[in-house]
Amino acid sequence: MKLSSDQWTIQHLQDHLQYAVDLEFWTIPFYMAAMYSIKDRSSDAFQLIQTIAHQEMLHVQLVANIGNAYGCKSIKFKPPIYLAHTIPHLDFELDDPDPRDTYKPWSGLIGPMDEKRLNAMLLLEFPLWVEPETIDYHDDVTEYGSIGAFYKAVTVGAAQHADQIKGNRRQVDLFSAYYNNLPQMTIENSGTDGIEAVVLLVKVICEQGEGATKTVRHQIEYPYQNTADDRWPSLTHFSKLEKIQDLFNEDGLPETYPITEPSHYSKQQLEIETNMLKQFDQFRACLESQFNGENPDTFYNEMASTGAAIQNCWKNGVLPKFA
Amino acid sequence: MVSKTVFRVHPSINFARLGTSEEYYLSPETSAGLKTDDPNVTGGLPIKPGTENEFITSDDLRDATGNMKRQAARFRLYAYDFEAPDEYPNGGGREITPGDTVFYDGKDREIQTIVWTVHLANKKSAAYNVVNSEGVKAYEGGKVPQLRNPEIYGNIDAPTRLRTLMIDPGPRAIKSDSQKTINFNSKGVCYCGQDGAIKAIKNYPTSFPSDTNSELYQPSGTLDSLGQMKVDEKGRLLVLTGLGNTAAIYDEYGDPMPLTGDLNNAGWWDDGADGPVSSTVVFKDGAVAEAFGGWVVCTDPSYAPQIRNITSVWDDAFDVWVQELDLMPELYKNNAFVETYQPSFFTDIRPIFAAPALQEWTVNLPKFATQAHTKVNQISPQNEPYKTIMSGLSFIRNPNAATPNNPAGETNIGIPLMPLSLGQAGEAFLTVTKTQYFFLEQWNANNFKKTLKGGLNGGEQLDFASLSNCLGGRYVPGVEVSYVIRSTEIYHTDWRTSGSGPFRVKPQPLDYSKAKADEPFLSGGWIPGHDKTDGLQPGDLSKFMAIPWQTDYNSCSIHQTHINTAGVNTSFGNDSTLYWSWPSQRPDAVYRASDVVMNVLPTQAWSIRGPGTFAANAKTASTFQKPLQAVEQWDRIGFVLQGSVIGEGKKYSPQLYLEVESQLDVEGYSDEAVAKWPFNAYVSPPKHK
C-alpha cells in the first residue's frame, strides 16, 4: 500500500535497499549466462551485454554501500530464483505503459541469448516512461512498476533519514578506476553530510541502467560514463539492449552453444553443473562477506571463476545453474 | 642411412646485451620465471663469469664505478650422432671442448682447438623504416617501406649508402685457447679458413660513422666498435656488445640531428648488431670439421630478466616451426594440430600459467588482476581444469577467432581477455600463439601429460632458454628481434636432412677472399617476402629494429591501443585507456627494494623517473620526456630482480621481485604517483553546449 512520507521508517528504507540488492544481484547470473552462451565473443551483442553485466556488479556494490551506510544489519545475497514470468520485486502491470505488450515473448529463466531473454532484459531495464510529479512510497516493494520508480522512492526516503547515515561503514570500492569522472563510489560522511553521496550513488544506477527515464535514456551524463572498457559509455542499459535488438532484427540471433537436455547429461556434464553451483555459492558467500565488513582475499578470484564456470558450462553443453 | 657426427653451436640464437662497463656477466641458460635447481631462484638470471651456472646477484649488475655491466652471449659446441631424418626433440648431443675425443669421419679423433668466427654488423641506418601499423605486411606484395636516411641517395644496395650508413667491422676469429679479447673495431679483420687457420683480411672495407663524418655528436663515447669477443677457460665463445654508444650527425645549424620519433631517426647510429657465429673444429690429426653455426644479437639490456613474457620469441619461433617447418608431426600435421596430442603440463602449459603472476612486478596492475594471476599460477597438474579459474579458457584471447567477416577476431577485445597488453602491428591486443592456445585447449579438455618426462637435451635446452627470455608477440618492432623471427626464410629449413637441427639461422655464405677495400662487402641483405633464400648476412636481424634503440625502449611503455591501428580506436573500450607495450621486458612500474620494509611492499614507482620524466599526460609516464635523455641515461635505469638475489644489506622474500641499482633517484625530487590500471591518457572533456 502507499505510505505517506511520515510513515516511511528506517526499516522501510533498509528493506528497500535489501530488495535493491536482490534485484541487482538477480541480474548478474541472468546476463552473464546469456552473454557466455554467445559463441562469438567479439560480436557487438556479447560485448554490449558484458558492459551491462559489469555495471550490474557496480550497482550491487552501490546499493550495498547505501544499505550499510543506513545501518542494515547485514546485506544478504540470497540464491536468486529464476522463474518464467517473474523478476524480483517488479510488477510490470503497474508500469504505464505496460512494457509486456511490447516485449514478448519473454522469460525470466536462465537460458541462451535469444528473443525471450532479450525481452526479459528489456523489461527489466525498461525506463521510467513518464517522470512522475509526485513520488509514491510503498511498504511492499512489489508495488513498483519499474526500477526507476523504485529508486525515485528510495532517493526521497533516504533524504528523510539522512540523519541515520553512518559514513565509512562497510564501504566497498571495487570499480572507481573505471569511472574516472565520478568523485566517489562510497559514503564517507555521516548524517546529513552524507546525503549528497547517497544521492550520487543512486543517480549512478539510474543514469546507467534500470532507473533511467525515457527522456535521458539515450545519453548517460558524462560523469557517470565508464572511462575504461566500454565502447558505448554514453548508452544506458536500455539503449544498449535496443541496439542488440536492432542487431538481431538485421542479422538474426547470434549463434549460441547448444545444450544437452539435462536428463541426458553425461557424468562429466553433471560434474560441470555441480561445479557451477558450488562456484556460484562460493561467489555469493564471498559477496556477503565482502559487504559485511570482511575483506575476503578471494573476492576477485571468485568473481572471475564464476565467469569461467559459466563459460565452461556452455562450452560443454550444460545449462548454467545457480541455485 | 649411416649415422655420422655433426657439430652444432648452441644456443642457436643467443643475445649479448648492452652496458657501459668493460665488465660483464654471462647470458642466462635458464628460462625466465620457471623453476631452477635452486628453490629460491626462478629462471632467467644471467650467470657469473667464470662459472658454469652460478646466478648473478644484485651486486653483479654494475661495476665499482656504477657503470652497467654488459651481458656476454656464451656459445658452446655440441656433437650429435646424426642420422637423417632428424627429429625434435633430438634428445642426443653432448658438449665438446678441446681435448675431448669425438668419433668423426670414420674414427675417433681428439679435438685440438675450436676456432670461432663472428661477424657483427649494424645495418639499421641503411635499412628500411619500421612501420608501426604494418609490421611485416610492409614487405608484402613486392613492396618495401621507405628507406631510412633517404637523403643519402640510392637504393638499398647502393655502395654510397652502405659505405656511409652501415657499420661493418668485418669478421673476427679466435682460437679456443686464446687469452686475447678481440675487438670489433676497424682493425684486425680476420676469419677462419677451411683449413682451420685464422687468416687476416687486409683489404676488408670496414665502415664506421666517423669514416664519412668529420664531426659527430657522441654523447656517451665514441662509436668505434660493435663489441668484443673472447673465450672462456673451456674454450667456449663469449660475444660482448659495444658500450652502448650512439652517434649523430650535426644538422646545418650545428645541432645534433633531432630525434623526431621512436623508430626511424635519421642521422643516428647505435651499436646494436647481429651476425653469424661459426665454429670450426680442428683435430689433432689435422682433420677439420665445420659446425652448424649460431647467431648472435647484440641488443638492449634485460632490465627484468626473471619476468617471463607470456609470449616470448621462443613461443613465436616454436609456433612457426611447428606449423610451417614440420618440427613435430605428432603435434601438427596436414595443416592442423593433432587432436590426440598431449602437451606436457610442465613444459607446455606451466610457462603460460607462470608468466601472468610475474607481471605485477613490472607494471601497475590492480589487485583484482594480481589475485587472479596468483590463482592461475597455483594451478597444478592435479587440478581438474574445469574447477580452476582458467576453466573454459574464459579469459584467454583466442588467436583462431578471425574470420573473413571479422579479420580482427578477438584482438579488439580488452578486459577480461588476456594478455592485456598491446598486440602486434595492426592489432589492438596481443594473443598467445596458436600453438600455445592449442596446448591450453588440450589442457582444458583434460588431455595433457601430468608428469615431467623426457624433455630437451643440453643444447636444445640452451636454444629454448635463450629465446624464451626475449620479448615475443608485439614486434613493433620488438626488443631483441622483430617479426622476422616468424619468417621461415631466415632458417635452415632442411633441418631434418642436413643435420643443422631446428631454430638455426641460415647464414649467407661469404667469401672473404673477395673483399675489396673500396667496395662495401655486405649488401642491403635479406628482407622478408622477396624470395631471397640464400641466407642472412651480418646485420640482417637487427636492421629491423629501431634506430637508436634507446628511443624505442623509452617510448614503448604505455600506449592507447590506437597506436597499433593507425590512430583509430578499434578496441571495445575507451580510446583513452592505457595499456602496456612490453610489460615483462620493459618495466613500467616497479617496487623499489630500498622502500620495502620487513617484506611489506611500498607503493609503486615508475621505472623511469626523476628529473626530465614528469609526464603531463599519463600516456608518457615512466618515460624520459625528451628522447635525447633516453640516449644519454638509459644506463641509469634500474633492474628488477627476485628478492632472494638482492643484496643491499637486507633480506627479501623470494616471493618479491624488486627494483635495484637504479641511478635515477635524485634527493629532493618527488615521485610522480603511479595509478593502478585502468588508467587513462588525458583527453579533453566534451565541450558543453
Side-chain angles (χ1 to χ4, degrees):
Chain A
M1 74 179 183
K2 286 188 183 179
L3 301 172
S4 63
S5 59
D6 58 353
Q7 290 176 296
W8 182 274
T9 64
I10 186 69
Q11 185 62 49
H12 279 126
L13 180 60
Q14 289 173 349
D15 288 347
H16 273 64
L17 291 167
Q18 177 61 55
Y19 297 144
V21 170
D22 294 345
L23 175 58
E24 301 291 354
F25 184 54
W26 184 93
T27 64
I28 292 168
F30 191 74
Y31 282 123
M32 286 180 75
M35 176 185 90
Y36 277 120
S37 74
I38 300 172
K39 284 186 170 178
D40 182 2
R41 299 191 291 190
S42 65
S43 66
D44 281 359
F46 187 106
Q47 292 295 322
L48 281 158
I49 300 171
Q50 182 168 268
T51 63
I52 298 173
H54 287 168
Q55 288 187 332
E56 296 297 355
M57 272 303 303
L58 167 65
H59 296 177
V60 166
Q61 173 194 287
L62 299 179
V63 291
N65 279 348
I66 299 171
N68 277 328
Y70 278 97
C72 286
K73 281 185 181 167
S74 66
I75 302 290
K76 301 285 186 195
F77 288 87
K78 291 170 275 190
I81 306 297
Y82 296 95
L83 302 171
H85 292 105
T86 303
I87 291 173
H89 308 312
L90 290 186
D91 182 352
F92 298 118
E93 274 186 26
L94 301 174
D95 228 339
D96 183 20
D98 185 340
R100 290 173 302 177
D101 297 337
T102 308
Y103 303 113
K104 59 185 181 184
W106 69 281
S107 173
L109 295 170
I110 293 292
M113 190 62 197
D114 57 13
E115 189 183 12
K116 287 182 178 176
R117 246 57 58 175
L118 177 62
N119 281 332
M121 292 174 191
L122 283 158
L123 285 171
L124 187 65
E125 309 283 0
F126 190 68
L128 189 58
W129 215 251
V130 181
E131 190 80 32
E133 290 179 7
T134 59
I135 306 298
D136 293 334
Y137 318 106
H138 302 265
D139 62 349
D140 180 349
V141 288
T142 62
E143 293 178 28
Y144 293 98
S146 75
I147 305 177
F150 175 85
Y151 278 115
K152 287 278 181 194
V154 167
T155 307
V156 177
Q160 288 177 0
H161 291 282
D163 60 331
Q164 308 262 354
I165 296 171
K166 289 179 183 169
N168 280 333
R169 181 174 183 267
R170 298 176 186 170
Q171 299 297 293
V172 175
D173 181 7
L174 304 170
F175 301 103
S176 58
Y178 293 76
Y179 295 87
N180 285 344
N181 302 312
L182 207 59
Q184 67 186 72
M185 289 193 168
T186 55
I187 298 154
E188 295 170 9
N189 294 323
S190 297
T192 51
D193 288 347
I195 190 61
E196 285 87 356
V198 171
V199 174
L200 175 70
L201 268 49
V202 173
K203 173 88 169 166
V204 174
I205 299 169
C206 294
E207 272 291 312
Q208 294 176 348
E210 301 91 337
T213 59
K214 185 186 177 188
T215 49
V216 298
R217 69 190 170 90
H218 292 296
Q219 182 77 40
I220 296 176
E221 287 180 35
Y222 186 64
Y224 308 96
Q225 293 181 14
N226 174 298
T227 51
D229 59 349
D230 189 339
R231 180 182 274 186
W232 308 272
S234 66
L235 294 188
T236 64
H237 293 186
F238 190 74
S239 297
K240 285 175 176 173
L241 292 167
E242 282 187 322
K243 198 173 174 65
I244 295 174
Q245 194 176 40
D246 290 343
L247 288 170
F248 288 3
N249 290 336
E250 285 171 24
D251 307 326
L253 292 167
E255 188 181 0
T256 55
Y257 291 101
I259 48 172
T260 306
E261 170 60 37
S263 59
H264 295 139
Y265 279 170
S266 66
K267 183 170 175 259
Q268 186 202 4
Q269 287 175 310
L270 286 169
E271 284 175 359
I272 288 170
E273 183 186 58
T274 303
N275 180 65
M276 177 74 253
L277 285 164
K278 187 180 165 197
Q279 178 54 51
F280 189 67
D281 270 351
Q282 288 175 201
F283 177 50
R284 279 197 311 107
C286 210
L287 270 175
E288 212 155 274
S289 160
Q290 181 82 42
F291 288 103
N292 285 288
E294 305 295 328
N295 185 19
D297 222 21
T298 57
F299 174 75
Y300 291 113
N301 290 338
E302 297 301 348
M303 191 166 72
S305 296
T306 299
I310 297 170
Q311 173 82 91
N312 198 47
C313 279
W314 286 113
K315 283 189 172 178
N316 287 281
V318 174
L319 183 69
K321 209 170 171 181
F322 300 95
Chain B
M1 185 179 282
V2 179
S3 69
K4 63 177 182 179
T5 301
V6 296
F7 302 96
R8 297 174 189 166
V9 173
H10 289 290
S12 55
I13 306 173
N14 202 0
F15 300 88
R17 295 185 183 274
L18 291 155
T20 53
S21 169
E22 291 291 340
E23 296 180 36
Y24 63 90
Y25 42 75
L26 304 177
S27 48
E29 295 181 351
T30 53
S31 186
L34 302 186
K35 281 186 177 175
T36 70
D37 293 338
D38 184 338
N40 285 322
V41 183
T42 57
L45 274 178
I47 296 168
K48 290 188 178 185
T51 73
E52 276 296 298
N53 53 17
E54 188 179 341
F55 295 126
I56 64 162
T57 70
S58 60
D59 295 335
D60 299 311
L61 294 167
R62 295 185 183 274
D63 66 19
T65 61
N67 277 304
M68 182 187 285
K69 290 185 188 175
R70 293 173 290 171
Q71 174 180 299
R74 178 163 71 177
F75 289 93
R76 307 173 190 234
L77 187 61
Y78 279 70
Y80 287 79
D81 188 19
F82 171 70
E83 183 177 336
D86 203 353
E87 291 184 348
Y88 185 82
N90 177 289
R94 66 181 175 101
E95 187 184 3
I96 53 170
T97 55
D100 288 348
T101 298
V102 178
F103 185 81
Y104 176 69
D105 200 16
K107 64 177 184 180
D108 286 334
R109 301 170 195 263
E110 186 179 341
I111 299 173
Q112 179 173 318
T113 188
I114 296 167
V115 186
W116 299 93
T117 302
V118 179
H119 187 165
L120 296 175
N122 176 327
K123 296 179 177 175
K124 288 184 185 182
S125 294
Y128 296 105
N129 275 334
V130 172
V131 186
N132 242 349
S133 59
E134 299 299 311
V136 73
K137 288 179 186 167
Y139 290 89
E140 289 178 352
K143 295 180 298 181
V144 290
Q146 287 179 306
L147 282 169
R148 285 171 171 161
N149 290 298
E151 74 284 1
I152 310 291
Y153 181 73
N155 63 23
I156 190 76
D157 294 316
T160 309
R161 283 183 57 84
L162 292 167
R163 207 163 21 235
T164 310
L165 299 171
M166 177 174 67
I167 304 175
D168 179 13
R172 298 290 187 280
I174 189 170
K175 286 187 176 179
S176 52
D177 58 355
S178 173
Q179 302 295 310
K180 292 180 184 172
T181 298
I182 309 282
N183 204 322
F184 286 95
N185 53 19
S186 59
K187 294 175 183 171
V189 184
C190 60
Y191 70 105
C192 180
Q194 289 182 342
D195 57 358
I198 294 177
K199 300 181 191 312
I201 315 173
K202 290 181 181 170
N203 292 327
Y204 193 87
T206 62
S207 57
F208 282 88
S210 58
D211 295 344
T212 48
N213 296 279
S214 56
E215 277 192 302
L216 287 167
Y217 174 70
Q218 300 186 91
S220 23
T222 308
L223 205 175
D224 56 3
S225 169
L226 289 186
Q228 297 163 320
M229 71 174 182
K230 58 193 295 185
V231 292
D232 69 11
E233 62 283 359
K234 290 195 172 179
R236 299 164 182 154
L237 176 69
L238 308 181
V239 181
L240 287 150
T241 65
L243 294 174
N245 292 334
T246 49
I249 59 173
Y250 287 97
D251 65 16
E252 59 191 287
Y253 304 102
D255 295 323
M257 281 293 278
L259 291 158
T260 56
D262 314 324
L263 304 173
N264 306 298
N265 287 293
W268 278 83
W269 294 266
D270 64 23
D271 56 2
D274 71 281
V277 173
S278 57
S279 178
T280 307
V281 185
V282 180
F283 296 97
K284 273 195 172 169
D285 64 5
V288 175
E290 189 67 22
F292 288 98
W295 204 272
V296 65
V297 178
C298 300
T299 185
D300 307 23
S302 183
Y303 291 102
Q306 293 165 287
I307 308 300
R308 188 176 191 79
N309 289 283
I310 291 168
T311 294
S312 67
V313 168
W314 165 261
D315 294 308
D316 276 315
F318 185 72
D319 187 60
V320 166
W321 275 82
V322 163
Q323 293 189 67
E324 298 185 42
L325 294 173
D326 194 30
L327 186 71
M328 297 170 68
E330 69 275 24
L331 165 60
Y332 189 90
K333 199 174 184 180
N334 300 326
N335 297 318
F337 288 101
V338 178
E339 287 190 8
T340 53
Y341 182 81
Q342 288 195 319
S344 156
F345 181 86
F346 290 99
T347 59
D348 301 324
I349 311 295
R350 172 75 194 143
I352 308 172
F353 289 170
L358 293 164
Q359 310 297 305
E360 68 174 294
W361 306 109
T362 44
V363 294
N364 46 331
L365 288 177
K367 191 175 180 186
F368 75 83
T370 60
Q371 285 187 347
H373 291 168
T374 301
K375 197 76 177 168
V376 172
N377 191 35
Q378 290 168 346
I379 296 173
S380 80
Q382 279 67 48
N383 291 130
E384 293 282 357
Y386 76 90
K387 291 182 178 176
T388 72
I389 194 170
M390 290 288 285
S391 172
L393 305 184
S394 273
F395 305 118
I396 299 291
R397 200 167 286 110
N398 183 350
N400 304 303
T403 64
N405 291 330
N406 176 24
E410 294 188 344
T411 60
N412 284 329
I413 308 174
I415 201 166
L417 300 192
M418 300 291 129
L420 195 63
S421 55
L422 294 169
Q424 61 180 335
E427 295 181 352
F429 295 103
L430 187 66
T431 68
V432 294
T433 68
K434 290 183 178 180
T435 305
Q436 285 180 300
Y437 194 76
F438 175 71
F439 288 160
L440 289 170
E441 285 182 311
Q442 296 301 86
W443 168 81
N444 186 52
N446 216 350
N447 185 22
F448 64 99
K449 292 177 191 161
K450 301 184 178 181
T451 54
L452 181 59
K453 283 183 184 171
L456 305 175
N457 72 20
E460 290 168 336
Q461 176 64 27
L462 291 177
D463 295 349
F464 162 69
S466 174
L467 295 174
S468 67
N469 292 327
C470 300
L471 174 96
R474 178 168 162 71
Y475 298 116
V476 190
V479 174
E480 294 89 358
V481 292
S482 195
Y483 42 73
V484 294
I485 205 73
R486 294 191 61 92
S487 172
T488 57
E489 294 174 356
I490 74 168
Y491 297 110
H492 278 286
T493 55
D494 59 349
W495 68 282
R496 281 194 182 277
T497 53
S498 68
S500 68
F503 308 111
R504 200 163 293 279
V505 175
K506 180 181 169 185
Q508 187 181 111
L510 298 175
D511 185 352
Y512 291 115
S513 66
K514 292 184 177 171
K516 296 177 184 171
D518 57 353
E519 194 175 299
F521 183 75
L522 301 176
S523 66
W526 174 85
I527 53 173
H530 285 247
D531 294 327
K532 290 177 177 262
T533 56
D534 53 350
L536 270 62
Q537 292 182 0
D540 277 356
L541 284 184
S542 58
K543 72 186 181 189
F544 295 96
M545 311 306 290
I547 180 72
W549 68 268
Q550 293 97 331
T551 53
D552 192 36
Y553 180 87
N554 184 49
S555 160
C556 276
S557 56
I558 297 160
H559 297 296
Q560 292 151 270
T561 61
H562 72 220
I563 195 170
N564 276 6
T565 49
V568 177
N569 175 31
T570 62
S571 76
F572 285 99
N574 194 315
D575 181 41
S576 67
T577 307
L578 296 166
Y579 301 89
W580 310 278
S581 193
W582 300 326
S584 312
Q585 204 79 6
R586 196 284 192 201
D588 296 308
V590 297
Y591 294 95
R592 274 185 291 227
S594 56
D595 291 347
V596 174
V597 180
M598 301 289 288
N599 287 317
V600 175
L601 290 175
T603 55
Q604 284 184 302
W606 293 119
S607 167
I608 295 181
R609 56 184 182 268
T613 66
F614 177 77
N617 192 331
K619 68 180 179 181
T620 62
S622 201
T623 299
F624 296 115
Q625 302 300 297
K626 299 285 185 192
L628 191 57
Q629 193 179 355
V631 169
E632 294 171 344
Q633 296 189 1
W634 59 273
D635 57 314
R636 298 189 189 181
I637 299 169
F639 292 82
V640 174
L641 293 189
Q642 193 172 12
S644 47
V645 294
I646 296 176
E648 298 204 342
K650 285 199 276 187
K651 281 205 166 187
Y652 299 93
S653 163
Q655 303 297 317
L656 310 181
Y657 293 78
L658 308 170
E659 190 211 54
V660 291
E661 296 293 336
S662 173
Q663 297 177 338
L664 291 171
D665 288 314
V666 172
E667 197 172 340
Y669 193 91
S670 62
D671 281 344
E672 213 176 317
V674 176
K676 294 291 187 186
W677 192 91
F679 64 135
N680 297 70
Y682 176 78
V683 290
S684 301
K687 289 178 182 170
H688 297 289
K689 286 179 183 173

